Amino acid sequence: MKTKSRIVQTLISDEVLQGVYGYALTLPLDDVVDVEGAAARLDLSVLDTQAAFAELTDMGLLRNRPGRGIVAVSPEEAVSRVLGPLEFEIRTRRAQAEEARRRLLSFAPLFETSHSADRQRRQVELIESLVEVRTAIAELSASCSSEILTAQPGGGRREDVLVEAAPRDYETLRRGVEMRILYQHTARSSRGTHSYVEQVARLGAEVRTLDDRFMRFLIFDRECAMFAVPGNPNGAALVRDPYVVAFMVEAYERLWLTAEPFVVDSDAQPEIADALKEIIVRLLTTGLTDEAVARRLGMSVRTCRRHVAELMAALNAESRFQAGYLLASQGE
């Protein structure tokens, strides 16, 4: 009877199985099953009857005793006989799973310690090449959603820098990201910077300038910041530590409050030039060289000396120290 395929057995209905099982319950204990007789009594085909006996035997409801015929087994006994090994296997597998879970989770403290240290390291990342710096800025700008704060000292920006930055900044502004930019006063005399400011201002950016030098840095969404590193003019540090970023935002806001708006076609250009001349002389009277003052204010040495000469002539001063004294006297 077990020669029939499982495909045939699965076609046997529960009604047929119930009928064959009920018939088996009526058989004497030592009776040998007559499939054809059973089929005739149950009004079933021989094939279906044989398949039903095989199915009930697989289910554990019939037990074939070699030489002694078939005996019907109670459903409770069948459940214990058929499901007992399966339930034992399930319990064994569950115990194995729990043991595997316990062993794997025992490594969690090591991972957390290492991961925490890695997160700490990633809060300050050193970027050592200009190509990588520009790539990082492009990625941060593209992912920025609300605000970029930029501080760019050093006077007018180089043409290659503007060619690289301008399209990126235009697209960022068109996405609705707010942008504030800080330059030094000397950037106002740069034709390329002036054209760039005119374009970004039309797109909503705010630009201001300061007389003295400040740190070069950018802040994205007040979540991460990038600033120049000493000793490597092409490198930068990328910071994600929230306390450091908050400190840099506060520093930026203080610079912004003291800066002068860079308004295209403004009448303030002569006033800015006069302010530059005055700070040049004040710096020179502290002992700084022409080269140091020019570097600090983002201008050439020649331009620095021209401003000094013009201011000394306006004050009728015979020396730089006298010019400084006269300026100080005017401020009293």
Side-chain angles (χ1 to χ4, degrees), residues 97-142:
E98 290 300 323
E99 175 62 16
R101 181 194 301 275
R102 184 196 64 77
R103 292 190 65 191
L104 290 172
L105 290 180
S106 69
F107 293 88
L110 291 174
F111 176 82
E112 289 299 326
T113 300
S114 175
H115 196 54
S116 177
D118 183 61
R119 285 197 303 267
Q120 185 67 29
R121 288 192 297 270
R122 287 177 176 269
Q123 287 183 337
V124 180
E125 178 183 353
L126 181 62
I127 306 174
E128 298 186 358
S129 74
L130 183 58
V131 173
E132 291 176 320
V133 169
R134 288 180 172 177
T135 300
I137 292 175
E139 292 175 351
L140 290 168
S141 297

Side-chain angles (χ1 to χ4, degrees), residues 296-318:
R296 179 164 172 169
L297 298 181
M299 64 176 63
S300 67
V301 177
R302 182 177 179 181
T303 301
C304 176
R305 289 171 177 166
R306 177 171 57 80
H307 282 312
V308 172
E310 290 175 355
L311 186 59
M312 288 177 61
L315 294 171
N316 293 318
E318 297 180 359

Side-chain angles (χ1 to χ4, degrees), residues 194 198 202 262-268:
H194 196 278
E198 184 176 11
R202 288 177 180 174
F262 190 155
V263 181
V264 179
D265 299 328
S266 172
D267 296 331

Side-chain angles (χ1 to χ4, degrees), residues 116-236:
S116 177
D118 183 61
R119 285 197 303 267
Q120 185 67 29
R121 288 192 297 270
R122 287 177 176 269
Q123 287 183 337
V124 180
E125 178 183 353
L126 181 62
I127 306 174
E128 298 186 358
S129 74
L130 183 58
V131 173
E132 291 176 320
V133 169
R134 288 180 172 177
T135 300
I137 292 175
E139 292 175 351
L140 290 168
S141 297
S143 62
C144 191
S145 61
S146 60
E147 179 188 60
I148 298 178
L149 305 178
T150 302
Q152 296 282 2
R157 301 178 73 183
R158 299 197 317 269
E159 182 178 354
D160 64 311
V161 174
L162 288 175
V163 168
E164 184 268 335
R168 179 190 67 229
D169 293 345
Y170 299 161
E171 176 60 27
T172 301
L173 287 164
R174 290 190 184 101
R175 288 194 293 108
V177 176
E178 296 181 1
M179 186 178 295
R180 283 189 279 165
I181 305 171
L182 275 175
Y183 290 133
Q184 287 183 269
H185 286 336
T186 46
R188 294 172 181 259
S189 60
S190 166
R191 185 173 301 176
T193 305
H194 196 278
S195 176
Y196 166 81
V197 170
E198 184 176 11
Q199 293 296 325
V200 295
R202 288 177 180 174
L203 293 171
E206 295 183 73
V207 186
R208 294 186 181 184
T209 63
L210 286 166
D211 50 12
D212 207 351
R213 188 176 180 85
F214 45 85
M215 185 177 70
R216 184 186 305 275
F217 61 98
L218 299 93
I219 303 173
F220 300 89
D221 284 341
R222 305 196 176 205
E223 294 179 352
C224 63
M226 181 178 290
F227 59 87
V229 294
N232 184 0
N234 294 324

